[in-house]
Amino acid sequence: MKIVRYRHDGREQCGALEADRIEPLEGPLDAFTRTSRAKSIPLNTVRLLAPVTPSKIVAAGLNYGEFVREQKVQPPAEPLIFLKPPTAVIGPNDAIVYPPQTRELYYEGELAIVIARRACRVPRSEARRYVLGYTCMNDVTAGDLQNRDREFTRSKSFDTFAPLGPLIETEIENPDDLALTTKVNGELRQNARTSDLIFKTDFLVSFISHIMTLLPGDVISTGTPPGVGQIKPGDVIEIEIEGIGVLSNTVAAEIPAM
């Protein structure tokens, strides 16, 4: 099932995308059902939102073999994880705001895991039972601030720095072997497969759940492949993952406060 979250007639709701129509859904994330009280809605009459509203985003750094070699660093012995706040989340076609505090804004195309139910100390062998599905994420980063701070919190936490979408695909059989590309203004910048992940998706779910409890709707972003680069106001970033779709966002300059 392709799960979207959308706004229609002033109301926000989740639905199942089928071709060019949306079937409204009701119930908890791990037990969505189609509602018999509502008719399907044409896709072109809704505004797509981020497909989920997480309580937290847990992201992995240095998790592609080729990216580690590109950076000329040693691969981590354990997942290198950090948090992005839920206030950073935006949806497809929303604007990434270029804050005045940085002069080096970077895109990072990533596969993201969406958690379906409360997960605490989950064995790796049972990790898939806790996964709703997969989506695209852009781990937008202020590179100069990251280098200056020597840690990730400020550089990755600005509002709009976590685009998600366009949907959650629940029927991906092997998330550890998907094509991932990132384009900027139509030019290919990243081209990889998730088979290059150092720590695979099930391992990440298990590892993180032994540190912090994951809640329904939480997101695990699995890291970015080589090819990260700078973006500027006016740029259009398109992250495409096999079986999921294209997450497209523009970059906008911050409007100064009056």
Side-chain angles (χ1 to χ4, degrees):
M1 181 163 56
K2 299 181 185 299
I3 299 172
V4 294
R5 186 169 149 267
Y6 61 94
R7 182 177 294 119
H8 180 70
D9 288 342
R11 182 183 178 192
E12 295 181 6
Q13 189 169 348
C14 290
L17 179 62
E18 298 180 355
D20 60 352
R21 300 189 71 85
I22 298 172
E23 298 284 345
L25 298 172
E26 59 184 7
L29 280 179
D30 61 342
F32 271 139
T33 58
R34 287 175 168 80
T35 173
S36 60
R37 300 188 305 272
K39 296 180 179 179
S40 66
I41 303 165
L43 177 61
N44 62 7
T45 66
V46 310
R47 178 187 173 189
L48 288 182
L49 307 172
V52 72
T53 54
S55 75
K56 55 186 172 292
I57 300 166
V58 190
L62 294 176
N63 198 32
Y64 275 80
E66 283 298 324
F67 184 71
V68 166
R69 288 185 282 276
E70 179 189 64
Q71 298 297 308
K72 298 180 180 179
V73 296
Q74 290 295 315
E78 295 181 302
L80 174 63
I81 62 171
F82 56 92
L83 295 173
K84 291 176 78 92
T87 48
V89 172
I90 58 173
N93 303 313
D94 288 341
I96 299 165
V97 176
Y98 199 126
Q101 294 93 328
T102 181
R103 294 295 179 268
E104 296 179 11
L105 194 64
Y106 289 84
Y107 60 83
E108 297 186 11
E110 308 197 0
L111 172 71
I113 305 164
V114 180
I115 299 300
R117 58 183 62 86
R118 187 179 185 274
C120 181
R121 299 181 181 178
V122 173
R124 184 178 178 181
S125 61
E126 297 182 16
R128 298 283 174 94
R129 295 181 51 241
Y130 294 83
V131 173
L132 175 64
Y134 305 87
T135 191
C136 306
M137 179 168 151
N138 189 348
D139 178 20
V140 182
T141 303
D144 50 350
L145 300 185
Q146 180 175 313
N147 292 332
R148 187 185 309 164
D149 295 348
R150 298 191 178 184
E151 62 95 38
F152 294 168
T153 302
R154 179 166 64 141
S155 66
K156 292 178 176 284
S157 296
F158 285 88
D159 291 351
T160 76
F161 273 25
L164 288 172
L167 53 83
I168 301 166
E169 177 56 73
T170 66
E171 298 179 5
I172 288 177
E173 293 185 5
N174 184 7
D176 298 323
D177 190 20
L178 300 173
L180 183 157
T181 62
T182 302
K183 294 179 181 178
V184 178
N185 301 326
E187 179 183 343
L188 184 65
R189 299 289 185 84
Q190 292 182 295
N191 187 10
R193 297 194 71 85
T194 58
S195 53
D196 193 37
L197 287 170
I198 297 171
F199 301 105
K200 308 301 185 184
T201 52
D202 291 352
F203 183 90
L204 289 173
V205 172
S206 176
F207 178 85
I208 293 167
S209 75
H210 281 79
I211 300 166
M212 64 189 80
T213 298
L214 296 166
L215 301 177
D218 280 352
V219 169
I220 297 173
S221 203
T222 58
T224 199
V228 169
Q230 291 192 44
I231 47 178
K232 63 185 184 303
D235 285 347
V236 178
I237 300 93
E238 296 172 297
I239 297 166
E240 182 172 6
I241 299 179
E242 180 181 359
I244 298 173
V246 179
L247 170 64
S248 180
N249 298 93
T250 57
V251 183
E254 182 170 273
I255 299 174
M258 298 298 291

